[in-house]
Amino acid sequence: DIAEFTAPPGPRFELVNDQCRECHSADYTSSQPVLNRAAWQKVVVKMADKFGAEEIKLSATEDHPHQPLMLDYIVAVYGKP
């Protein structure tokens, strides 16, 4: 069982925690460089396409609009303008 991220709580924290900890350790995201939204979007798409993160892939569809919501949180916590 992988521990929860130690990131600050906020809107969409639980969504990001649930999605990312499927593969990553609790502190993995916080060890990443500070990126802008476009760069983080590329990372999220890579997780879906290259590494088969099915939940994130589904999130990009109309029925599962989680990907933009995940990006909102990631950019707010780990991003730069």
Coordinates of all heavy atoms in Angstrom, one line a residue:
D1 N 0.8 -1.2 0.0 CA 0.0 0.0 0.0 C 0.9 1.2 0.0 O 1.8 1.3 0.8 CB -0.9 0.0 1.2 CG -2.1 0.8 1.1 OD1 -2.6 0.9 -0.1 OD2 -2.7 1.3 2.1
I2 N 0.6 2.2 -0.9 CA 1.4 3.4 -1.0 C 0.8 4.5 -0.2 O -0.4 4.7 -0.2 CB 1.6 3.8 -2.5 CG1 2.2 2.7 -3.3 CG2 2.3 5.1 -2.6 CD1 2.3 2.9 -4.8
A3 N 1.6 5.2 0.6 CA 1.2 6.2 1.5 C 0.7 7.4 0.7 O 1.0 7.6 -0.5 CB 2.3 6.7 2.4
E4 N -0.1 8.3 1.3 CA -0.7 9.4 0.6 C 0.5 10.4 0.4 O 1.4 10.5 1.1 CB -1.8 10.1 1.4 CG -3.0 9.3 1.4 CD -4.2 10.1 2.0 OE1 -4.1 11.3 2.3 OE2 -5.3 9.5 2.1
F5 N 0.3 11.3 -0.6 CA 1.2 12.4 -0.9 C 1.2 13.3 0.3 O 0.2 13.4 1.1 CB 0.8 13.2 -2.1 CG 1.0 12.4 -3.4 CD1 -0.1 12.1 -4.2 CD2 2.3 12.1 -3.8 CE1 0.1 11.4 -5.4 CE2 2.4 11.4 -5.0 CZ 1.4 11.1 -5.8
T6 N 2.3 14.0 0.5 CA 2.4 14.9 1.6 C 2.2 16.3 1.1 O 2.5 17.3 1.8 CB 3.8 14.8 2.3 OG1 4.8 15.0 1.3 CG2 4.0 13.5 3.0
A7 N 1.5 16.5 0.0 CA 1.2 17.8 -0.6 C 0.2 18.5 0.2 O -0.6 17.8 0.9 CB 0.8 17.6 -2.0
P8 N 0.1 19.8 0.1 CA -0.9 20.5 0.8 C -2.3 20.2 0.3 O -2.5 19.9 -0.9 CB -0.6 22.0 0.5 CG 0.6 22.0 -0.3 CD 1.0 20.6 -0.7
P9 N -3.3 20.1 1.2 CA -4.6 19.8 0.8 C -5.2 21.0 0.0 O -4.7 22.1 0.2 CB -5.4 19.6 2.1 CG -4.5 20.1 3.2 CD -3.1 20.2 2.7
G10 N -6.1 20.7 -0.8 CA -6.7 21.7 -1.6 C -7.7 21.1 -2.5 O -7.9 19.9 -2.5
P11 N -8.4 21.9 -3.3 CA -9.3 21.4 -4.3 C -8.6 20.4 -5.2 O -7.5 20.7 -5.7 CB -9.8 22.6 -5.1 CG -9.5 23.8 -4.2 CD -8.3 23.4 -3.4
R12 N -9.1 19.2 -5.3 CA -8.6 18.2 -6.2 C -7.5 17.4 -5.6 O -6.9 16.5 -6.3 CB -8.2 18.7 -7.6 CG -9.2 19.6 -8.2 CD -10.5 18.9 -8.5 NE -11.4 19.9 -9.2 CZ -12.6 20.1 -8.8 NH1 -13.2 19.5 -7.8 NH2 -13.3 21.0 -9.5
F13 N -7.1 17.6 -4.3 CA -6.0 16.9 -3.7 C -6.3 15.4 -3.8 O -5.5 14.6 -4.2 CB -5.7 17.3 -2.3 CG -4.9 16.3 -1.5 CD1 -3.5 16.3 -1.7 CD2 -5.4 15.4 -0.7 CE1 -2.7 15.4 -1.0 CE2 -4.7 14.5 0.0 CZ -3.3 14.5 -0.2
E14 N -7.5 15.0 -3.4 CA -7.9 13.6 -3.3 C -7.8 12.9 -4.7 O -7.4 11.8 -4.8 CB -9.2 13.4 -2.6 CG -9.1 13.7 -1.1 CD -10.4 13.3 -0.4 OE1 -11.2 12.5 -0.9 OE2 -10.6 13.9 0.7
L15 N -8.3 13.7 -5.7 CA -8.2 13.1 -7.1 C -6.8 12.9 -7.5 O -6.5 11.8 -8.0 CB -8.9 14.1 -8.0 CG -8.8 13.8 -9.5 CD1 -9.6 12.5 -9.8 CD2 -9.4 15.0 -10.3
V16 N -5.9 13.8 -7.3 CA -4.5 13.7 -7.6 C -3.9 12.5 -6.8 O -3.2 11.7 -7.3 CB -3.7 15.0 -7.5 CG1 -2.2 14.8 -7.7 CG2 -4.3 16.0 -8.5
N17 N -4.1 12.5 -5.5 CA -3.6 11.5 -4.7 C -4.0 10.1 -5.1 O -3.2 9.2 -5.3 CB -4.0 11.8 -3.2 CG -3.4 10.8 -2.3 OD1 -2.2 10.6 -2.2 ND2 -4.3 10.2 -1.5
D18 N -5.3 10.0 -5.4 CA -5.8 8.7 -5.9 C -5.2 8.2 -7.2 O -4.9 7.1 -7.4 CB -7.3 8.7 -6.0 CG -8.0 8.8 -4.6 OD1 -7.3 8.5 -3.6 OD2 -9.2 9.1 -4.6
Q19 N -5.1 9.1 -8.1 CA -4.6 8.8 -9.5 C -3.1 8.6 -9.5 O -2.7 7.6 -10.0 CB -4.9 9.9 -10.5 CG -6.4 10.2 -10.7 CD -7.1 9.0 -11.3 OE1 -6.7 8.4 -12.2 NE2 -8.3 8.7 -10.7
C20 N -2.3 9.4 -8.9 CA -0.9 9.4 -9.0 C -0.3 8.3 -8.1 O 0.7 7.7 -8.5 CB -0.3 10.7 -8.6 SG -0.8 12.0 -9.8
R21 N -0.9 8.0 -7.0 CA -0.3 7.0 -6.1 C -0.5 5.6 -6.6 O 0.0 4.6 -6.0 CB -0.7 7.2 -4.7 CG -2.1 6.9 -4.3 CD -2.4 7.2 -2.9 NE -3.7 6.8 -2.6 CZ -4.0 6.0 -1.6 NH1 -3.1 5.5 -0.9 NH2 -5.3 5.7 -1.4
E22 N -1.3 5.4 -7.7 CA -1.4 4.1 -8.3 C 0.0 3.6 -8.7 O 0.2 2.4 -8.6 CB -2.3 4.1 -9.5 CG -3.8 4.3 -9.2 CD -4.4 3.1 -8.5 OE1 -4.1 2.0 -8.8 OE2 -5.2 3.4 -7.6
C23 N 0.9 4.5 -9.1 CA 2.2 4.1 -9.6 C 3.3 4.7 -8.8 O 4.4 4.1 -8.7 CB 2.4 4.4 -11.0 SG 1.2 3.6 -12.1
H24 N 3.1 5.9 -8.2 CA 4.2 6.7 -7.6 C 4.2 6.6 -6.1 O 3.2 6.5 -5.5 CB 4.1 8.1 -8.1 CG 4.3 8.3 -9.5 ND1 5.4 8.0 -10.2 CD2 3.4 8.8 -10.5 CE1 5.2 8.3 -11.5 NE2 4.0 8.7 -11.7
S25 N 5.4 6.7 -5.6 CA 5.5 6.8 -4.1 C 4.9 8.2 -3.6 O 4.7 9.1 -4.4 CB 6.9 6.7 -3.7 OG 7.7 7.8 -4.1
A26 N 4.7 8.3 -2.4 CA 4.0 9.4 -1.8 C 4.8 10.7 -2.1 O 4.1 11.8 -2.3 CB 3.9 9.3 -0.3
D27 N 6.1 10.7 -2.1 CA 6.8 12.0 -2.3 C 7.4 12.2 -3.7 O 8.1 13.1 -3.9 CB 8.0 12.0 -1.3 CG 7.5 12.1 0.1 OD1 6.5 12.8 0.4 OD2 8.1 11.4 1.0
Y28 N 7.0 11.3 -4.6 CA 7.5 11.4 -6.0 C 7.2 12.8 -6.7 O 8.1 13.4 -7.2 CB 7.0 10.3 -6.9 CG 7.6 10.3 -8.3 CD1 8.9 9.9 -8.5 CD2 6.8 10.8 -9.3 CE1 9.4 9.9 -9.8 CE2 7.3 10.8 -10.6 CZ 8.6 10.4 -10.8 OH 9.1 10.5 -12.1
T29 N 5.9 13.1 -6.6 CA 5.6 14.4 -7.3 C 6.3 15.6 -6.7 O 6.7 16.5 -7.4 CB 4.0 14.6 -7.2 OG1 3.4 13.4 -7.8 CG2 3.6 15.8 -8.0
S30 N 6.4 15.6 -5.4 CA 7.0 16.8 -4.8 C 8.5 16.9 -5.1 O 9.1 17.9 -4.9 CB 6.8 16.7 -3.2 OG 7.4 15.6 -2.7
S31 N 9.1 15.8 -5.6 CA 10.5 15.9 -5.9 C 10.8 16.3 -7.4 O 11.9 16.4 -7.8 CB 11.2 14.5 -5.7 OG 10.7 13.6 -6.7
Q32 N 9.7 16.6 -8.1 CA 9.8 17.0 -9.5 C 10.1 18.5 -9.6 O 9.8 19.3 -8.7 CB 8.5 16.7 -10.2 CG 8.1 15.3 -10.2 CD 9.2 14.4 -10.7 OE1 9.6 14.5 -11.9 NE2 9.7 13.5 -9.9
P33 N 10.7 18.9 -10.7 CA 10.9 20.4 -10.9 C 9.7 21.2 -11.0 O 8.6 20.6 -11.3 CB 11.7 20.4 -12.2 CG 11.3 19.2 -13.0 CD 11.0 18.1 -11.9
V34 N 9.8 22.4 -10.8 CA 8.6 23.3 -10.9 C 8.4 23.6 -12.4 O 9.3 24.0 -13.1 CB 8.9 24.7 -10.2 CG1 7.8 25.6 -10.4 CG2 9.1 24.4 -8.7
L35 N 7.2 23.2 -12.9 CA 6.9 23.3 -14.3 C 5.6 24.2 -14.5 O 4.8 24.3 -13.6 CB 6.6 22.0 -14.9 CG 7.7 20.9 -14.7 CD1 7.2 19.5 -15.2 CD2 8.9 21.3 -15.5
N36 N 5.5 24.8 -15.7 CA 4.3 25.5 -16.0 C 3.2 24.5 -16.4 O 3.4 23.3 -16.5 CB 4.5 26.6 -17.1 CG 4.9 26.0 -18.4 OD1 4.7 24.9 -18.7 ND2 5.6 26.8 -19.2
R37 N 2.0 25.0 -16.6 CA 0.8 24.1 -17.0 C 1.1 23.3 -18.2 O 0.8 22.1 -18.2 CB -0.5 24.9 -17.1 CG -1.7 24.0 -17.2 CD -3.0 24.8 -17.3 NE -4.1 24.0 -17.3 CZ -4.8 23.6 -16.3 NH1 -4.4 24.0 -15.1 NH2 -5.8 22.7 -16.4
A38 N 1.6 23.9 -19.2 CA 1.8 23.2 -20.5 C 2.8 22.0 -20.3 O 2.6 20.9 -20.8 CB 2.4 24.1 -21.6
A39 N 3.9 22.2 -19.5 CA 4.8 21.2 -19.2 C 4.2 20.1 -18.4 O 4.4 18.9 -18.6 CB 6.1 21.8 -18.6
W40 N 3.4 20.4 -17.4 CA 2.8 19.4 -16.5 C 1.7 18.6 -17.4 O 1.6 17.4 -17.2 CB 2.1 20.1 -15.3 CG 3.0 20.2 -14.1 CD1 3.4 21.4 -13.5 CD2 3.6 19.1 -13.4 NE1 4.2 21.1 -12.5 CE2 4.4 19.7 -12.4 CE3 3.6 17.8 -13.5 CZ2 5.1 19.0 -11.5 CZ3 4.3 17.0 -12.6 CH2 5.1 17.6 -11.6
Q41 N 1.1 19.3 -18.3 CA 0.1 18.6 -19.1 C 0.9 17.5 -20.0 O 0.4 16.4 -20.1 CB -0.6 19.5 -20.1 CG -1.7 18.8 -20.9 CD -2.6 19.8 -21.6 OE1 -2.4 21.0 -21.6 NE2 -3.7 19.2 -22.1
K42 N 2.0 17.8 -20.4 CA 2.8 16.8 -21.2 C 3.2 15.7 -20.3 O 3.2 14.5 -20.7 CB 4.1 17.5 -21.7 CG 3.8 18.4 -22.9 CD 5.1 19.0 -23.4 CE 4.8 20.0 -24.5 NZ 6.0 20.7 -25.0
V43 N 3.5 15.9 -19.0 CA 3.8 14.9 -18.1 C 2.6 14.0 -17.9 O 2.7 12.7 -17.9 CB 4.3 15.4 -16.7 CG1 4.4 14.4 -15.7 CG2 5.7 16.2 -16.9
V44 N 1.5 14.6 -17.7 CA 0.2 13.8 -17.4 C -0.1 13.0 -18.6 O -0.5 11.8 -18.5 CB -0.9 14.7 -17.0 CG1 -2.3 14.0 -17.0 CG2 -0.6 15.4 -15.6
V45 N 0.0 13.6 -19.8 CA -0.3 12.8 -21.1 C 0.7 11.7 -21.2 O 0.3 10.6 -21.6 CB -0.3 13.8 -22.3 CG1 -0.3 13.0 -23.6 CG2 -1.5 14.7 -22.2
K46 N 1.9 11.9 -20.9 CA 2.9 10.8 -21.0 C 2.6 9.7 -20.1 O 2.7 8.5 -20.4 CB 4.3 11.4 -20.7 CG 5.4 10.4 -20.7 CD 6.8 10.9 -20.4 CE 6.9 11.4 -19.0 NZ 8.3 11.8 -18.6
M47 N 2.1 10.0 -18.9 CA 1.8 8.9 -17.9 C 0.6 8.1 -18.5 O 0.6 6.9 -18.4 CB 1.3 9.5 -16.6 CG 2.3 10.2 -15.8 SD 3.7 9.2 -15.3 CE 5.0 9.9 -16.4
A48 N -0.3 8.7 -19.2 CA -1.4 8.0 -19.8 C -1.0 7.2 -21.0 O -1.3 6.0 -21.2 CB -2.5 9.0 -20.2
D49 N -0.2 7.9 -21.9 CA 0.1 7.2 -23.2 C 1.3 6.3 -23.2 O 1.2 5.1 -23.6 CB 0.4 8.3 -24.3 CG -0.8 9.1 -24.6 OD1 -2.0 8.7 -24.3 OD2 -0.7 10.2 -25.2
K50 N 2.4 6.7 -22.6 CA 3.6 5.8 -22.6 C 3.5 4.7 -21.5 O 4.0 3.6 -21.7 CB 4.8 6.7 -22.4 CG 5.4 7.3 -23.6 CD 6.7 7.8 -23.3 CE 7.5 8.0 -24.6 NZ 8.8 8.5 -24.4
F51 N 2.9 5.1 -20.4 CA 3.0 4.2 -19.2 C 1.7 3.5 -18.9 O 1.5 2.8 -17.9 CB 3.6 4.9 -18.0 CG 5.0 5.4 -18.3 CD1 5.2 6.7 -18.4 CD2 6.0 4.5 -18.5 CE1 6.5 7.2 -18.7 CE2 7.3 5.0 -18.7 CZ 7.5 6.3 -18.9
G52 N 0.7 3.8 -19.7 CA -0.6 3.1 -19.6 C -1.4 3.5 -18.4 O -2.2 2.6 -17.9
A53 N -1.3 4.7 -17.9 CA -2.2 5.1 -16.7 C -3.6 5.2 -17.2 O -4.0 6.3 -17.7 CB -1.7 6.4 -16.1
E54 N -4.3 4.1 -17.2 CA -5.7 4.1 -17.8 C -6.6 5.1 -17.2 O -7.4 5.7 -17.9 CB -6.3 2.7 -17.7 CG -5.6 1.7 -18.6 CD -5.7 2.0 -20.0 OE1 -6.7 2.5 -20.5 OE2 -4.7 1.8 -20.7
E55 N -6.5 5.3 -15.9 CA -7.5 6.3 -15.2 C -7.2 7.7 -15.8 O -8.2 8.4 -16.0 CB -7.3 6.3 -13.7 CG -7.8 5.0 -13.1 CD -9.3 4.8 -13.3 OE1 -10.0 5.8 -13.2 OE2 -9.7 3.7 -13.4
I56 N -6.0 8.0 -16.0 CA -5.7 9.4 -16.5 C -6.1 9.4 -18.0 O -6.7 10.4 -18.4 CB -4.2 9.7 -16.4 CG1 -3.8 9.8 -14.9 CG2 -3.9 11.0 -17.1 CD1 -2.4 10.0 -14.6
K57 N -5.9 8.4 -18.7 CA -6.4 8.4 -20.1 C -7.9 8.6 -20.2 O -8.4 9.3 -21.0 CB -6.0 7.0 -20.8 CG -6.0 7.0 -22.3 CD -5.6 5.7 -22.9 CE -4.1 5.5 -22.6 NZ -3.5 4.3 -23.3
L58 N -8.6 7.8 -19.4 CA -10.1 8.0 -19.3 C -10.4 9.4 -18.9 O -11.4 10.0 -19.3 CB -10.7 7.0 -18.3 CG -10.7 5.6 -18.7 CD1 -11.2 4.7 -17.5 CD2 -11.6 5.4 -19.9
S59 N -9.6 10.0 -18.1 CA -9.9 11.3 -17.5 C -9.9 12.4 -18.6 O -10.5 13.4 -18.4 CB -8.8 11.7 -16.5 OG -8.8 10.9 -15.4
A60 N -9.3 12.1 -19.8 CA -9.3 13.1 -20.8 C -10.6 13.1 -21.7 O -10.8 13.9 -22.5 CB -8.1 12.9 -21.7
T61 N -11.5 12.1 -21.4 CA -12.7 12.1 -22.2 C -13.8 12.9 -21.6 O -13.7 13.4 -20.5 CB -13.2 10.6 -22.3 OG1 -13.6 10.2 -21.0 CG2 -12.1 9.7 -22.8
E62 N -14.8 13.1 -22.4 CA -15.9 13.9 -21.9 C -16.6 13.3 -20.7 O -17.0 14.0 -19.8 CB -17.0 14.0 -23.0 CG -17.3 15.4 -23.5 CD -18.3 15.3 -24.6 OE1 -19.5 15.0 -24.4 OE2 -17.9 15.7 -25.8
D63 N -16.6 12.0 -20.6 CA -17.3 11.3 -19.5 C -16.4 11.4 -18.2 O -17.0 11.2 -17.1 CB -17.5 9.9 -19.8 CG -18.5 9.7 -20.9 OD1 -19.4 10.6 -21.1 OD2 -18.5 8.7 -21.6
H64 N -15.1 11.6 -18.4 CA -14.2 11.6 -17.2 C -13.3 12.8 -17.3 O -12.1 12.7 -17.7 CB -13.4 10.3 -17.1 CG -14.3 9.1 -17.0 ND1 -14.8 8.7 -15.9 CD2 -14.6 8.2 -18.0 CE1 -15.5 7.6 -16.1 NE2 -15.4 7.3 -17.3
P65 N -13.8 14.0 -17.0 CA -13.0 15.2 -17.2 C -12.0 15.5 -16.1 O -11.8 16.6 -15.7 CB -14.1 16.3 -17.3 CG -15.1 15.8 -16.3 CD -15.2 14.3 -16.5
H66 N -11.4 14.5 -15.5 CA -10.5 14.7 -14.4 C -9.1 15.3 -14.8 O -8.5 15.9 -14.0 CB -10.3 13.3 -13.7 CG -11.5 12.8 -13.1 ND1 -11.7 11.4 -13.0 CD2 -12.6 13.4 -12.5 CE1 -12.9 11.2 -12.4 NE2 -13.4 12.4 -12.1
Q67 N -8.7 15.0 -16.0 CA -7.3 15.5 -16.3 C -7.2 17.0 -16.1 O -6.2 17.4 -15.5 CB -7.0 15.1 -17.8 CG -5.5 15.1 -18.1 CD -5.2 14.6 -19.5 OE1 -5.2 15.4 -20.4 NE2 -5.1 13.3 -19.6
P68 N -8.0 17.8 -16.6 CA -7.9 19.3 -16.4 C -7.9 19.6 -14.9 O -7.2 20.5 -14.4 CB -9.0 19.9 -17.2 CG -9.4 18.9 -18.2 CD -9.1 17.6 -17.6
L69 N -8.8 18.9 -14.2 CA -8.9 19.1 -12.7 C -7.6 18.7 -12.0 O -7.2 19.4 -11.1 CB -10.1 18.4 -12.2 CG -11.4 18.7 -12.8 CD1 -12.5 17.8 -12.2 CD2 -11.8 20.2 -12.6
M70 N -7.0 17.6 -12.4 CA -5.8 17.2 -11.8 C -4.7 18.3 -12.1 O -3.9 18.6 -11.2 CB -5.3 15.9 -12.4 CG -6.2 14.7 -12.0 SD -5.7 13.2 -12.8 CE -4.1 13.0 -12.2
L71 N -4.7 18.8 -13.3 CA -3.7 19.8 -13.7 C -3.9 21.1 -12.9 O -2.9 21.7 -12.5 CB -3.8 20.1 -15.2 CG -3.1 19.1 -16.1 CD1 -3.5 19.3 -17.6 CD2 -1.6 19.0 -16.0
D72 N -5.1 21.4 -12.6 CA -5.4 22.6 -11.8 C -4.6 22.5 -10.4 O -4.0 23.4 -10.0 CB -6.9 22.8 -11.5 CG -7.6 23.2 -12.7 OD1 -7.0 23.7 -13.7 OD2 -8.9 23.1 -12.7
Y73 N -4.8 21.3 -9.8 CA -4.1 21.1 -8.5 C -2.6 21.1 -8.6 O -1.9 21.7 -7.9 CB -4.7 19.9 -7.8 CG -3.9 19.6 -6.5 CD1 -4.3 20.2 -5.4 CD2 -2.9 18.7 -6.5 CE1 -3.6 20.0 -4.2 CE2 -2.2 18.5 -5.3 CZ -2.6 19.2 -4.2 OH -1.9 19.0 -3.0
I74 N -2.1 20.3 -9.6 CA -0.7 20.1 -9.7 C 0.0 21.4 -10.0 O 1.0 21.7 -9.4 CB -0.4 19.1 -10.8 CG1 -0.8 17.7 -10.4 CG2 1.1 19.0 -11.1 CD1 -0.8 16.6 -11.5
V75 N -0.6 22.2 -10.9 CA 0.0 23.5 -11.2 C -0.1 24.5 -10.0 O 0.9 25.2 -9.7 CB -0.6 24.1 -12.5 CG1 -0.2 25.5 -12.7 CG2 -0.3 23.3 -13.7
A76 N -1.2 24.4 -9.3 CA -1.3 25.3 -8.1 C -0.3 25.0 -7.0 O 0.3 25.9 -6.4 CB -2.7 25.2 -7.5
V77 N 0.1 23.7 -6.9 CA 1.0 23.3 -5.8 C 2.4 23.2 -6.3 O 3.4 23.6 -5.6 CB 0.5 21.9 -5.2 CG1 1.5 21.4 -4.2 CG2 -0.8 22.1 -4.6
Y78 N 2.6 22.7 -7.5 CA 4.0 22.4 -8.0 C 4.3 23.2 -9.2 O 5.4 23.0 -9.8 CB 4.1 20.9 -8.4 CG 3.8 20.0 -7.2 CD1 2.7 19.2 -7.2 CD2 4.7 19.9 -6.1 CE1 2.4 18.3 -6.2 CE2 4.4 19.1 -5.1 CZ 3.3 18.3 -5.1 OH 3.0 17.5 -4.1
G79 N 3.5 24.1 -9.6 CA 3.7 24.8 -10.9 C 4.2 26.2 -10.8 O 4.4 26.7 -9.7
K80 N 4.5 26.8 -11.9 CA 4.8 28.2 -12.0 C 4.0 28.8 -13.1 O 3.5 28.1 -14.0 CB 6.3 28.3 -12.3 CG 6.8 27.8 -13.7 CD 8.3 28.0 -13.9 CE 8.7 27.5 -15.2 NZ 10.1 27.6 -15.4
P81 N 3.8 30.1 -13.0 CA 2.9 30.8 -14.0 C 3.5 30.7 -15.4 O 4.6 30.5 -15.6 CB 2.8 32.2 -13.5 CG 3.6 32.3 -12.2 CD 4.3 31.0 -12.0

